């Protein structure tokens, strides 16, 4: 899994070369109907859900090559479908980062019979991630899932069947827990659903361990045991976290209802799907497991509550940014209307 820059190494957004762009007019939106492919529309939904994706992440998610991705992303930028920025880094050059632009938001809203305001979209808010102190954290979470999806693109026996953003999960479970993401991974006819806590090493371990009580209350309220995965930056951080987590889980009324596994970013050539996960109650050499070999979710009470992946995706009016259902984590299969579009010229005329 590629290394994600730390927040400390990012220093705002550096200016990029100005390029001509088409204004977001009604006529332009009508023209986009014939020019956007199924993959383009899928990408808009992914950016609405996950806020920001880098050019490399978009390539790994949906394109056959970096050249193909760069060419299409430039067109989408010039059509005002996507906005972009490039963070200034203290070392090297950061990839271009893409967010939803006004024309893209208009397309999304029109497809679902909504007004743009119903999406909760505002350009300043979408572009604000460029200056957010959580940019590196958001990119790290998205890179984690991108690695899984890229793996699945090249291995038909695997699949990411769900990927919910922090905002969507909070809308469903925020009164008890606020994980960084919810996901489901399928491999070898096994499927595991999980909550992800993506740790960058900046929080005190006490903050991390206090979250266990919320996960325990959620398991009690739903009657569903959902594994909690903790991704940590280093093995040293992992060792300290495991000691603290073991003590904190022992204080729970039903610790067996909260299976926990940890892994670290110290495995640069591995993906989160590989045998790098160490269950909290496992020790010794060879104890690490592949993601799909971790305990899967199970019901411990006869309750009618659905699993987090159930299609109850409509949120309350207080969360307008989540009125759209979660997008399929995997891009549409290549085919007519997916990889090519009847473009008139590079400026969409």
């Amino acid at each position: 899994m590629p290394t994600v820059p730390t927040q400390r190494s990012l220093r705002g957004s550096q200016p990029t070369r100005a390029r001509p762009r088409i204004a977001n007019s009604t006529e332009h939106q009508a023209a986009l109907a014939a020019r956007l492919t199924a993959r383009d529309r899928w990408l808009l939904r992914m950016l609405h859900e996950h806020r920001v994706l880098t050019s490399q992440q978009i390539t790994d998610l949906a394109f056959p090559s970096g050249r193909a991705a760069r060419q299409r992303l430039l067109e989408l930028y010039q059509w005002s479908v996507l906005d972009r920025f490039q963070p200034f880094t203290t070392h090297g050059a950061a990839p271009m980062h893409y967010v939803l632009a006004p024309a893209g938001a208009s397309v999304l809203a029109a497809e679902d019979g909504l007004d743009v305001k119903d999406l909760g979209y505002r350009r300043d808010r979408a572009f604000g991630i460029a200056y957010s102190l959580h940019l590196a954290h958001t990119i790290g979470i998205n890179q984690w899932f991108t690695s899984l999806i890229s793996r699945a693109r090249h291995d038909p026996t695997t699949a990411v069947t769900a990927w919910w953003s922090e905002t969507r999960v909070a809308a469903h479970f925020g009164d008890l827990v606020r994980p960084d993401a919810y996901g489901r991974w399928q491999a070898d006819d096994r499927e595991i659903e999980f909550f992800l806590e993506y740790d960058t090493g900046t929080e005190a371990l006490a903050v991390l361990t206090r979250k266990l009580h919320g996960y325990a209350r959620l398991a009690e309220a739903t009657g569903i045991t959902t594994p909690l995965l903790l991704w940590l930056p280093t093995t040293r951080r992992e060792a300290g976290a495991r000691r603290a987590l073991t003590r904190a889980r022992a204080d729970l009324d039903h610790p067996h209802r909260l299976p926990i596994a940890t892994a670290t970013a110290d495995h640069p050539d591995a993906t989160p799907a590989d045998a790098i996960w160490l269950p909290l109650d496992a020790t010794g050499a060879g104890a690490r497991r592949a993601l799909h070999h971790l305990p899967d979710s199970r019901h411990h009470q006869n309750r009618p509550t659905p699993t987090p992946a159930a299609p109850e995706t409509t949120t309350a009016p207080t969360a307008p940014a989540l009125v759209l259902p979660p997008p399929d984590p995997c891009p549409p299969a290549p085919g007519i209307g997916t990889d090519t579009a009847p473009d008139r010229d590079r400026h969409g005329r």
Side-chain angles (χ1 to χ4, degrees):
M1 179 169 152
T3 302
V4 177
T6 63
Q7 188 65 40
R8 185 177 299 176
S9 69
L10 301 177
R11 295 290 186 272
S13 177
Q14 60 182 347
T16 58
R17 184 173 60 177
R19 291 184 178 273
R21 303 183 72 188
I22 300 176
N24 182 30
S25 64
T26 303
E27 293 77 11
H28 175 52
Q29 292 171 24
L32 286 176
R35 296 189 174 98
L36 294 182
T37 68
R39 183 176 57 193
D40 296 335
R41 297 171 189 275
W42 170 85
L43 179 57
L44 297 184
R45 293 182 180 273
M46 290 291 283
L47 287 172
H48 178 64
E49 177 82 13
H50 303 294
R51 300 194 64 186
V52 58
L53 292 166
T54 69
S55 55
Q56 185 58 59
Q57 288 171 351
I58 294 172
T59 300
D60 293 341
L61 285 170
F63 284 86
S65 67
R67 182 177 180 274
R70 288 190 297 271
Q71 179 177 342
R72 190 58 177 174
L73 290 172
L74 176 59
E75 292 172 338
L76 295 175
Y77 170 74
Q78 292 174 325
W79 295 343
S80 298
V81 172
L82 302 182
D83 272 327
R84 66 183 187 179
F85 63 92
Q86 185 178 26
F88 175 80
T89 60
T90 53
H91 300 286
M96 201 67 72
H97 290 49
Y98 287 87
V99 298
L100 195 62
S106 297
V107 169
L108 278 184
E111 285 186 342
D112 286 71
L114 303 170
D115 292 328
V116 173
K117 64 180 181 180
D118 296 328
L119 298 180
Y121 174 83
R122 279 180 21 197
R123 187 169 186 257
D124 60 337
R125 184 181 300 162
F127 209 84
I129 189 68
Y131 305 97
S132 170
L133 295 178
H134 300 288
L135 175 60
H137 185 254
T138 302
I139 289 297
I141 297 167
N142 294 352
Q143 182 59 53
W144 195 94
F145 276 93
T146 295
S147 298
L148 280 182
I149 296 170
S150 179
R151 167 79 170 265
R153 288 184 67 200
H154 299 91
D155 184 354
T157 66
T158 65
V160 177
T161 55
W163 172 17
W164 286 14
S165 66
E166 179 182 7
T167 302
R168 185 175 298 277
V169 178
H172 283 257
F173 308 111
D175 56 336
L176 294 175
V177 296
R178 289 180 176 267
D180 292 320
Y182 162 80
R184 287 205 316 265
W185 171 248
Q186 190 177 69
D188 296 339
D189 296 324
R190 285 177 54 88
E191 186 173 64
I192 175 178
E193 63 177 348
F194 55 85
F195 291 118
L196 175 69
E197 289 283 353
Y198 187 95
D199 177 68
T200 60
T202 57
E203 287 185 331
L205 290 177
V207 176
L208 188 63
T209 57
R210 281 198 296 268
K211 298 179 181 181
L212 299 193
H213 294 279
Y215 285 105
R217 290 196 301 271
L218 179 63
E220 177 65 24
T222 62
I224 303 169
T225 296
T226 304
L228 174 62
L229 306 185
L230 285 92
W231 185 262
L232 300 129
T234 64
T235 52
R236 181 178 180 179
R237 173 78 169 178
E238 181 186 35
R242 290 178 64 83
R243 290 192 294 269
L245 290 167
T246 299
R247 291 192 297 268
R249 193 175 68 164
D251 292 335
L252 301 178
D253 293 335
H254 305 283
H256 63 282
R257 292 180 182 173
L258 183 57
I260 300 174
T262 63
T264 75
D266 284 347
H267 307 276
D269 297 326
T271 72
D274 295 325
I276 59 176
W277 293 98
L278 186 60
L280 194 61
D281 52 0
T283 58
R288 293 192 182 267
R289 305 179 188 176
L291 180 57
H292 67 286
H293 285 151
L294 294 174
D296 55 4
S297 298
R298 56 188 179 274
H299 294 253
H300 56 75
Q301 296 176 17
N302 294 322
R303 293 176 180 258
T305 308
T307 65
E312 291 188 2
T313 55
T314 302
T315 60
T318 55
L322 295 172
V323 295
L324 299 184
D328 188 331
C330 299
I336 297 175
T338 299
D339 293 319
T340 60
D343 302 327
R344 302 312 191 262
D345 61 28
R346 291 181 63 84
H347 297 288
R349 294 189 291 268

